[in-house]
Each structure stands twice: as C-alpha cells, then as structure tokens.
Amino acid sequence: MPTLLVTGLIVIVMSLLVHRMRTSSNSPGFVCLERSEVTATLAETLPDIVFFGPSPVFVEFIQSYWAMQERDIVPQCIVRPRSVGELATAITILKRDYDTRTCREDPPLLFAIRSGGHSPIPGSANMDNGIVIDLRLLNEVIPSEDGSSVTIGTGARWLDVYKTLDARDLAVAGGRNSDVGVGGLTLGGGLSFYSPRVGFVCNNILSYEVVLANGTITTASESAEPRLWRALKGGSNNFGVVTSFVARTFPSLNVSSGFLYMLGSKADQMMCAFHDYTNADPGTYDEYSAGPLVCFSYVQKISLQAIATYLVYTKPEAWPACSNGFKSVGRLWSTVKTRSLTSAASELASSSPPGLRQLFITTTVKNDLATLMEIHAFYKSGVKAMRQVKGMTWTLVLQPLLPVMANKGQADSMGLADRTEPLVIVLFTAVWEKKTDDELVGRTTRATISDIDAFATMKGTADPYRYLTDCASWQSPFDGYGAENKRFLQQMSKLYDPEGMFQRACVGGFKLDMDVSNP
C-alpha cells in the first residue's frame, strides 16, 4: 500500500477516535428566575455560597457540565458548600421545606446534587428552575501517613486523585477517565483498571462520610453503620449526600497502556480476539490485565468505521502477554507505552471531549461469540439509522466482567457475587451536535438495546445486571441487582430517609421504586 494512503488512513482514523468539537465560548444569556421561599432562605442563611444567574460563578457552573444536555438546563440557584457543615445546613433547610410541603400535600421541591457533572443524562446533576448543590469545592485528596488509604472529597475528579498518588508511588481503584467525578462513579459501583486485582471501586471504600436527610453528619464503615456502608456500595444517591470517601490504596508504579487502532474491516477478527480473551481458562487469569475496552466507532463527518482497543496492564511492561491476541489482528498503529496512571486515565478522557450532546445506554450478556456477532450487526443497523445525524459519532464498547472481579473486596449491594461465568458489559455511546436530533438518537439507541436484549433472551445469553453509571435515564439498574438486594436498598432508604426526601425531591441518580406517599 502506498505510503501516502497509509498516512491518510492514519489521519482519518485518528480523527475518528480523538475527534474534538468545541462549542462557542459565548456565555448563554440567562433569565433571572423568580426566587422561591426556600431559595430566599438559603441565600439569607448561607449568603456566601448561594449564587443566582447571571453571576460569573453561575455562568461558569453551567458551562462546566460535560454533556450539552446538562448545559441546556438552567437552575434557579446553585449552592456551593465549602465545608460539610455548610452542606448540612443547606440540607436541613431543604428538608424543612420538604416536610412543610408534604404536610400540605404540595408538590415536593426539586433539587439536584452535582459531583463531577459527567453524566450525559439530562437532569442527572442539574434541575430546571430548581436548586443544585454543587460539591466540587469538597475536593480534598489526603493520603494517610502510612500510605494504606486516602481520603477523597466527593467533588474531586480522578485526575486530582491520581496526580496526588502518583507522586507517592501509590494507586487506588478509581475511574478510568480522569475527568469523571469521584462521587457519582463510586456510588454507582465503579469499574477500574485495578478491578481484576481488587474488584469494583466501591469494594475498596473503607468508610463514607454522609449528610443524611435530617442534616445529621454520620460515618458509615464496616464497624459503624455497616448496613448503610453496604447500601452505598452501588446504591447511588438514595440515602444522603456523601461528602468524602476513605479508599484503600496500594503500592503501584507505572502502568502499560494505550490504544491499538484498526480498520473497521477487522471487526470479526476483533470479536473473536475479545471473546477468546474473556473466555480464557481461569488458570491463566492475570490480575494485572485490565480491560480490554474494544470500541467500534462510526463518525458521520468522514463516513468511516474503525476500531480502537484500549489495553492496560497495571505493571510497567511494554507489551504484556495479554495483548497478544489483539496485536495479531493487525493494527495501523498504537499508543501503547509505559506511563503513569494519570497519563493512562487522561488518554481515555481525551477521546470524549466536553461540550457535545451525549448519550450512554448499556446491557449485559454472557460471553457468547454468536451473541457478540449479533450485537455488532445491531450496531451496524444503528449506523444506517443515524447516518445523517450531523456530527454523529456512534460507538459500541465491549468490556469483560469476570466472576473473579465481582468477588474481590468487600460485600456490596450489586448482586454479582453468584456469577460463575464471564459476562460482557455492552455500552453504546452517541455524540452529536444538534438538539433537533435528540429524539432520533434516543429512539434508535433504545431500539438497538431492546433488540439486543430480545436476542440474548431468546438465545439464553442475557444477564439482568446493568452497570449503573452507563445506564440511560429509562433503564432500571436496581432491578438487575436482584430482588433481595433491591429490597435491602429500599429498607435502608426508609431507615435513613424515612420521609423519602431523596426519593421524591432529589432528581438525578436512579431511584428505588418505593411508595413514599405514606412514610
């Protein structure tokens, strides 16, 4: 193949996989919304941390959301606590208003909680004409003196955590994307580069500091409030506002990581390589081998499909044995190298820039090759359906979920401990430009997942688990935890939030389908 053609293909595929589109830097024109009684009380009680539009702090807040759908939403005010005490005061005020409304049978006030603001679901961490509690100032990262743990503020990003720990040759089970906030990912379970060694992110949290619905500040750990401690491991924001986490740390030097870039024509070979990797003999299991993340992408602007496989080995080896099956498929080029954990997570973050319309949707299947091939066929049908969506990048991501990963670390509420065969987490991501295409994208992605679920159910390869942080707004991840675990979470919600404020008044997250009309 002529050198010029090879170079051109590399440029095209790079455009596909690190495609960056930036929105206008002009600030939106906010309408000053009429202040409600509760926002007036917040502003009077906490004048230094309550902000209304169109102040510079308010504008920055809106513009800092990752997904454009969240930037489209304009709250009435934002509350930016600088301490746990200020947060507890704000929650107490909201609870008082909630109780008054409940007694009058008024509609509950609506508020949202923001950690990193990296969810693509509209209203996940923002509220139209409501109140948003912005936790980004609670962002401390404090390693313990003996190096066995680190205290992390819920408003920190994983970039902040990794930079601090890299300097001490330490690591923690945390997000694989450096721009993601600590709070949302950890409360949703959390997959990590270190999950094959230590389990989910939540399985490595030693304690949580929580502000409950009544304003009480409590600590949940294995020895103090152990039921709340377990409920928070995958239970999302249904029990209170988590202000910080104490996470287990462990010694770690550099990792080996990077993308392998391939043409879309290699799809069948890549599916076989992924299936073989995920289905390997447990006796050959390598706990340092993370992933892989296999991504099949279509970019409308250049009408090309390509494949990127992200490999991570949590030891500094240039080409670990775990990569052999993927290397043999044939690549255009790779970015694999020995690097810091910060660099590895930042490379993944660079592939999903902010300021665009975004959507996630997920399901889980058994590691069956015929099912994986059918999933790829459904992905290609989605390409046809959305070929004309301006700025569309449509990606199918496959990642292994092995039984050993679900049985490491502490007990959680996600119901995976009984799995005995390898699973595959299936994720579709969509990125596009225009709001007018929202309905088509949402309808197509939902139909694609429904078709996959129907096929897997018919073939006997479906699994009910849904990875919470990748779910679409209409999905019900707690149903996939199993009836017993869901009942446990509902019981804990009633115990720690008996009036149901976080079920009825707090938007965002996924709720527990509880009847809280008569608490």
Side-chain angles (χ1 to χ4, degrees):
M1 185 182 293
T3 302
L4 182 60
L5 180 56
V6 173
T7 302
L9 283 171
I10 290 175
V11 170
I12 289 172
V13 179
M14 177 62 82
S15 298
L16 164 67
L17 294 164
V18 294
H19 172 58
R20 291 176 179 271
M21 298 178 287
R22 301 295 182 180
T23 56
S24 170
S25 60
N26 294 331
S27 298
F30 294 114
V31 175
C32 293
L33 301 171
E34 182 179 351
R35 300 186 186 186
S36 64
E37 182 179 341
V38 67
T39 56
T41 301
L42 285 166
E44 180 180 354
T45 307
L46 300 164
D48 295 334
I49 67 168
V50 179
F51 300 91
F52 297 86
S55 69
V57 171
F58 193 93
V59 172
E60 181 279 330
F61 171 82
I62 297 295
Q63 296 282 48
S64 63
Y65 280 103
W66 177 63
M68 184 56 70
Q69 293 98 316
E70 284 283 68
R71 298 186 187 188
D72 289 343
I73 297 171
V74 181
Q76 188 177 144
C77 75
I78 58 173
V79 182
R80 303 191 75 188
R82 300 161 299 189
S83 67
V84 179
E86 288 180 338
L87 173 61
T89 299
I91 292 295
T92 300
I93 292 170
L94 295 178
K95 179 61 162 57
R96 187 183 308 129
D97 185 85
Y98 173 80
D99 289 343
T100 301
R101 290 172 178 269
T102 302
C103 290
R104 295 197 308 250
E105 297 186 354
D106 287 351
L109 84 160
L110 294 175
F111 67 96
I113 302 167
R114 174 181 178 173
S115 172
H118 201 271
S119 171
I121 298 176
S124 59
N126 201 354
M127 178 61 215
D128 187 35
N129 197 23
I131 299 162
V132 182
I133 299 175
D134 179 9
L135 301 175
R136 288 180 298 158
L137 296 182
L138 303 181
N139 58 7
E140 71 275 11
V141 181
I142 307 173
S144 64
E145 291 187 7
D146 64 1
S148 65
S149 65
V150 59
T151 300
I152 310 170
T154 192
R157 294 182 302 157
W158 290 108
L159 178 66
D160 308 318
V161 179
Y162 297 152
K163 281 184 174 180
T164 299
L165 296 181
D166 276 344
R168 294 165 172 79
D169 293 333
L170 295 172
V172 66
R176 296 169 294 185
N177 182 323
S178 62
D179 284 344
V180 169
V182 167
L185 180 121
T186 306
L187 293 174
L191 284 167
S192 164
F193 294 142
Y194 296 94
S195 288
R197 287 174 58 188
V198 299
F200 283 78
V201 175
C202 70
N203 299 138
N204 294 272
I205 301 301
L206 304 176
S207 68
Y208 304 78
E209 183 180 66
V210 190
V211 177
L212 301 177
N214 62 6
T216 300
I217 303 169
T218 191
T219 297
S221 68
E222 190 171 19
S223 58
E225 305 291 349
R227 290 183 296 172
L228 178 59
W229 179 65
R230 180 188 154 203
L232 289 167
K233 296 179 183 299
S236 193
N237 65 350
N238 288 290
F239 316 100
V241 183
V242 175
T243 60
S244 67
F245 307 82
V246 177
R248 184 172 71 90
T249 55
F250 39 86
S252 180
L253 299 174
N254 288 338
V255 303
S256 299
S257 73
F259 281 108
L260 306 182
Y261 294 107
M262 306 162 191
L263 293 176
S265 59
K266 301 285 187 178
D268 287 355
Q269 292 169 265
M270 180 53 64
M271 280 293 185
C272 291
F274 175 87
H275 171 265
D276 291 346
Y277 173 94
T278 306
N279 210 42
D281 187 327
T284 65
Y285 178 76
D286 187 343
E287 66 178 9
Y288 292 94
S289 178
L293 298 173
V294 178
C295 310
F296 304 85
S297 290
Y298 166 77
V299 168
Q300 178 267 343
K301 284 199 170 186
I302 54 178
S303 298
L304 185 70
Q305 298 184 49
I307 304 168
T309 298
Y310 199 67
L311 299 173
V312 178
Y313 196 73
T314 54
K315 278 185 175 181
E317 296 184 12
W319 281 103
C322 68
S323 67
N324 291 342
F326 302 100
K327 287 170 60 182
S328 65
V329 173
R331 63 191 184 281
L332 289 173
W333 87 102
S334 83
T335 65
V336 174
K337 65 179 182 179
T338 298
R339 64 177 90 207
S340 68
L341 179 57
T342 300
S343 174
S346 295
E347 184 177 27
L348 269 185
S350 71
S351 67
S352 56
L356 301 168
R357 310 194 78 77
Q358 309 268 2
L359 183 145
F360 292 168
I361 194 167
T362 188
T363 191
T364 306
V365 299
K366 296 178 182 178
N367 184 43
D368 171 71
L369 184 57
T371 301
L372 297 181
M373 292 294 190
E374 194 68 19
I375 288 170
H376 188 261
F378 286 125
Y379 153 76
K380 290 192 290 185
S381 296
V383 170
K384 294 178 182 179
M386 296 189 289
R387 193 178 295 276
Q388 301 306 315
V389 174
K390 184 174 175 58
M392 168 59 67
T393 301
W394 168 243
T395 301
L396 162 65
V397 184
L398 303 178
Q399 52 189 317
L401 178 55
L402 304 179
V404 67
M405 293 165 56
N407 287 281
K408 288 183 178 285
Q410 308 132 356
D412 56 52
S413 57
M414 297 185 292
L416 287 168
D418 63 348
R419 301 304 197 274
T420 58
E421 58 185 303
L423 302 175
V424 177
I425 295 178
V426 179
L427 167 66
F428 284 94
T429 73
V431 180
W432 68 104
E433 294 181 10
K434 293 186 175 182
K435 187 174 183 178
T436 51
D437 290 319
D438 287 6
E439 192 277 333
L440 172 61
V441 175
R443 172 164 41 87
T444 302
T445 54
R446 184 166 185 166
T448 302
I449 284 292
S450 296
D451 288 342
I452 291 170
D453 287 341
F455 178 86
T457 299
M458 180 269 296
K459 192 169 175 56
T461 56
D463 189 273
Y465 176 74
R466 301 292 180 268
Y467 182 41
L468 185 147
T469 63
D470 287 346
C471 283
S473 60
W474 58 270
Q475 295 187 288
S476 302
F478 297 125
D479 289 343
Y481 288 12
E484 183 178 346
N485 282 300
K486 186 174 180 179
R487 278 194 300 272
F488 168 73
L489 293 175
Q490 291 172 334
Q491 291 167 358
M492 293 304 99
S493 177
K494 289 179 180 179
L495 178 63
Y496 289 97
D497 180 20
E499 289 76 36
M501 184 172 79
F502 286 99
Q503 297 300 305
R504 298 185 67 208
C506 180
V507 302
F510 293 91
K511 303 308 176 186
L512 293 167
D513 302 326
M514 296 168 57
D515 179 8
V516 294
S517 57
N518 296 296

